[in-house]
Amino acid sequence: MVVTRWLSRLCVAAACLGGTTAEADVPAAPPAPVAGSIVPADAPFAVIPTPVASARRVDSDDELFPRYAVLKPNVAFWTKVFGEYSEHQSVIHDMNNLDVVFEVLDFTSEAAYLDPGSLRKLKNQQEAATIERTRRLLQQVHAARGQPETLDVEQRRIYDLYARNQNDDRFEIAASNLRSQRGLRERTQQALEISGKYLPRMEGVFQGYSLPLRLTRLPLVESSFNVEAYSKVGAAGLWQFIPSSARIYMRLNDVVDDRRDPWTSTDAAARHLRDDYASLGSWPLALTAYNHGRGGIARGLTATGGTELPDLIRGYNAKSFGFASRNFYAEFLAAYDVERNWRTHFGEIQRKNPLEFDVVETQHYVPYETLRRLCDADDEVFRKLNPAYRPEVIAGKLYVPPGHLIRVPAGSAKNFTVGYAQLGDHERFEQQRVNHLLHKVRKGDTLGGVARRYGVTQASIRAHNGIGKRGTLRAGQVLKIVPRSESRPGPVTVAVGESKPGLTAAEKRASDKASAAGDRKKSSRTGYRTHRVRSGQTLSSIAHTYKVSIRELRQANDLGSSSDIRVGEKLKVPVRR
């Protein structure tokens, strides 16, 4: 059993207060690991500190992140979105000219009394109506553009917004490029507070790869530092990896989804950005490639004959290179500026502090519940420390494989080690449990495509389905897929995460008392309401919203000791009489 303790006693001034620490000019291969102090040979584990970014402040490295003139209005727009416009404000604007804002809708008063669903519906309706009204105004102004003296007050306001644009078709073009953007001020402030859990160690990882530390602010754009973020296109986690990229840099299989692990995914993101930079030669292009794809950026440069991001923005008209890709670098600059000037935008904020945890390594196939029990952590804490594991693992249908680094609450590694050594053959195994998945073959499916989808080999599919070397798939056929464990791509830098010590005796008594009270309350409830899980929600947050206990939610939905829920899933919520 290998046990390592990662210490988090340093929260550098730059990370805690919004500045950056020492940043390198050119990315390079990561240095060899630096060993920490080793305790005597008879001690149960070694103490090896994780690299932490230096607290030494240096001058800004703006030459690595240039502020192109063509992006100036875009950066100004996104700075307001991140730091000024409220989540209850919707900005109606020209998506090709971000300095042209037609109207700002304010729903602050409605937010005070409407429920979230009704408020969202109202916002959608008002945004659509305002966009349509603005489109008609633009068409009217286009028709009368040669006689501005005939315009009424509202039409003249629209006309004057384009005073510096003399393109004869400017109003007609704008009528087809209207967009609504909601403010992110509250979300950004919350992100800055949460980021204190991760930024010091993230900076340590990026410094280990000789990457600019400014890149660690990218999650402000990607996920607002929400580790449970999940997008409509399937991007997940703090760094919003899509599955195809994730499989290059981390594990994504039926046992783990490393995208949901903020520490493992940070190491993967550092290597991803390093490779983007090595391929494209500049950070504006590398950052845009993080959103648009490395190959897509290369194709755009070839198509335009350009060498820099402005060449793509001015001349690359591919449908795939849309609003999000064109604005990604500007959003990054704006988010960085807002963080750097956080007092101006938010006043005083309190960053959360990173806490300690220990890391142990499995040497057998072990049930997830056994590992949780060995470190004496409750389900919520253990899942926050080890968020990558799939529901099948948490439910015990698959084991945690050997060679996995498991985070346990600080100070619990010794007891874990002793307990692990005493496990019997009924709790540690030499092979994975067989947990068959079923795939119904659709028209167009190929053996290779199905294998890639599930992260298994074609040979495995053939073997478990009796398909010969010359055999092919047929539509409607049901394939049995047996998952396999995968090694983690690339280096692993385990950093400090969110944890808390085990419960004291007094806390345990209070917890038991609360559970008993919850059982008594349950008897006074009858019936259920339905809640559809939204992105970013946890069992804890849903329980808080409806003023019920996590225990009651688990019992109502047959979750056992699990807290795993999925976006879109419908939960039964107990209702009081």
Side-chain angles (χ1 to χ4, degrees):
M1 173 63 61
V2 180
V3 185
T4 309
R5 170 170 291 174
W6 302 100
L7 302 178
S8 176
R9 302 190 184 280
L10 179 60
C11 181
V12 296
C16 293
L17 298 179
T20 55
T21 53
E23 299 182 353
D25 289 343
V26 180
V34 179
S37 56
I38 305 298
V39 297
D42 58 349
F45 59 85
V47 180
I48 306 178
T50 308
V52 178
S54 168
R56 180 174 60 87
R57 300 292 296 273
V58 298
D59 293 335
S60 175
D61 59 348
D62 286 342
E63 67 277 6
L64 293 179
F65 300 91
R67 308 239 170 186
Y68 303 114
V70 68
L71 289 181
K72 185 176 180 180
N74 301 53
V75 174
F77 174 84
W78 290 109
T79 299
K80 288 185 176 181
V81 170
F82 286 115
E84 180 178 323
Y85 293 130
S86 162
E87 64 184 353
H88 299 310
Q89 291 180 304
S90 299
V91 184
I92 310 302
H93 66 93
D94 182 336
M95 64 189 298
N96 288 339
N97 299 278
L98 295 190
D99 54 346
V100 176
V101 172
F102 299 103
E103 195 167 344
V104 178
L105 306 179
D106 197 314
F107 300 93
T108 304
S109 60
E110 290 85 351
Y113 63 86
L114 288 178
D115 63 85
S118 298
L119 180 61
R120 182 167 56 252
K121 183 178 180 180
L122 175 65
K123 288 179 178 179
N124 291 339
Q125 290 174 342
Q126 291 297 315
E127 289 165 355
T130 304
I131 286 175
E132 183 56 35
R133 181 169 58 84
T134 305
R135 179 177 292 111
R136 290 196 301 269
L137 279 169
L138 284 163
Q139 291 168 343
Q140 292 164 6
V141 173
H142 174 72
R145 65 193 181 283
Q147 298 175 303
E149 67 279 3
T150 64
L151 301 175
D152 63 25
V153 174
E154 187 66 5
Q155 293 168 343
R156 183 70 195 207
R157 183 182 70 85
I158 297 291
Y159 182 89
D160 290 341
L161 287 174
Y162 290 87
R164 290 180 295 179
N165 185 345
Q166 296 304 308
N167 186 334
D168 189 53
D169 295 327
R170 60 194 181 277
F171 303 112
E172 188 174 41
I173 294 172
S176 301
N177 290 285
L178 296 176
R179 182 178 179 275
S180 175
Q181 172 66 50
R182 294 177 186 174
L184 298 171
R185 185 180 187 278
E186 294 87 351
R187 184 183 299 182
T188 303
Q189 179 174 344
Q190 184 181 41
L192 294 181
E193 294 168 353
I194 295 172
S195 68
K197 296 179 182 181
Y198 310 110
L199 275 178
R201 294 296 160 169
M202 288 169 63
E203 289 191 343
V205 170
F206 274 67
Q207 185 170 343
Y209 286 104
S210 297
L211 296 172
L213 301 188
R214 191 176 304 191
L215 296 170
T216 58
R217 274 57 181 178
L218 187 55
L220 288 171
V221 177
E222 286 285 18
S223 64
S224 297
F225 278 92
N226 177 7
V227 297
E228 297 181 7
Y230 193 88
S231 78
K232 294 178 181 178
V233 297
L238 206 68
W239 293 93
Q240 289 291 280
F241 273 88
I242 60 174
S244 58
S245 296
R247 289 189 175 93
I248 299 173
Y249 293 99
M250 62 184 86
R251 298 169 304 185
L252 180 59
N253 53 47
D254 292 296
V255 173
V256 291
D257 180 352
D258 278 336
R259 299 178 300 167
R260 299 185 180 278
D261 187 309
W263 307 284
T264 303
S265 64
T266 290
D267 185 272
R271 288 181 282 116
H272 188 341
L273 287 163
R274 178 194 62 182
D275 293 347
D276 286 339
Y277 180 90
S279 174
L280 298 167
S282 80
W283 284 117
L285 291 174
L287 281 163
T288 306
Y290 192 87
N291 172 268
H292 184 67
R294 199 179 303 156
I297 296 298
R299 287 190 294 273
L301 293 174
T302 300
T304 60
T307 59
E308 296 182 318
L309 181 58
D311 298 322
L312 297 180
I313 292 174
R314 293 190 188 100
Y316 191 40
N317 298 315
K319 186 176 181 180
S320 61
F321 193 66
F323 182 83
S325 297
R326 290 174 181 275
N327 280 273
F328 194 74
Y329 180 62
E331 289 185 60
F332 170 75
L333 294 178
Y336 172 77
D337 289 346
V338 169
E339 192 222 17
R340 185 175 54 180
N341 301 297
W342 56 272
R343 279 196 179 92
T344 301
H345 297 285
F346 310 112
E348 292 300 323
I349 62 175
Q350 183 63 48
R351 301 255 186 170
K352 295 185 181 297
N353 292 321
L355 301 178
E356 300 178 4
F357 60 67
D358 298 339
V359 176
V360 298
E361 183 177 351
T362 58
Q363 294 183 333
H364 307 81
Y365 289 95
V366 184
Y368 174 94
E369 180 60 22
T370 297
L371 298 175
R372 186 199 65 76
R373 175 176 55 80
L374 288 176
C375 67
D376 194 28
D378 64 41
D379 183 60
E380 294 286 343
V381 169
F382 195 68
R383 287 193 61 207
K384 286 181 179 179
L385 292 176
N386 302 278
Y389 288 104
R390 297 283 199 177
E392 292 78 9
V393 176
I394 296 172
K397 296 178 181 178
L398 290 170
Y399 297 139
V400 176
H404 276 225
L405 301 178
I406 306 298
R407 303 182 190 88
V408 299
S412 64
K414 291 183 179 179
N415 290 338
F416 184 99
T417 305
V418 172
Y420 189 95
Q422 296 174 350
L423 290 178
D425 292 341
H426 65 292
E427 289 191 288
R428 56 183 186 182
F429 308 93
E430 298 303 320
Q431 61 184 12
Q432 181 63 276
R433 294 191 73 177
V434 176
N435 181 44
H436 297 154
L437 301 173
L438 298 178
H439 174 84
K440 188 173 184 179
V441 177
R442 297 187 298 269
K443 185 178 180 180
D445 276 354
T446 64
L447 197 62
V450 174
R452 286 191 297 273
R453 176 176 177 179
Y454 292 99
V456 299
T457 64
Q458 295 185 44
S460 173
I461 295 177
R462 291 184 185 279
H464 289 97
N465 293 275
I467 301 175
K469 289 186 177 181
R470 297 179 180 273
T472 57
L473 304 183
R474 65 180 185 278
Q477 179 181 5
V478 177
L479 298 176
K480 186 164 59 177
I481 309 294
V482 179
R484 67 182 179 88
S485 297
E486 298 176 9
S487 59
R488 190 191 308 267
V492 178
T493 300
V494 181
V496 171
E498 180 181 8
S499 178
K500 62 181 179 182
L503 296 179
T504 64
E507 290 170 331
K508 183 68 167 60
R509 286 194 297 272
S511 176
D512 292 342
K513 185 177 179 181
S515 296
D519 288 340
R520 288 194 297 273
K521 284 184 179 180
K522 185 181 178 184
S523 65
S524 68
R525 301 178 188 270
T526 181
Y528 299 93
R529 72 180 74 186
T530 300
H531 174 86
R532 186 183 292 275
V533 179
R534 298 190 298 274
S535 176
Q537 289 188 322
T538 63
L539 208 61
S540 176
S541 69
I542 295 170
H544 178 76
T545 298
Y546 291 101
K547 306 240 178 337
V548 298
S549 70
I550 297 176
R551 180 189 182 94
E552 288 175 288
L553 282 180
R554 285 179 177 149
Q555 290 177 342
N557 294 277
D558 296 324
L559 294 176
S561 61
S562 171
S563 296
D564 184 74
I565 54 177
R566 297 176 181 273
V567 174
E569 179 181 358
K570 290 183 179 180
L571 296 180
K572 292 192 296 185
V573 180
V575 181
R576 293 183 186 278
R577 282 183 179 145

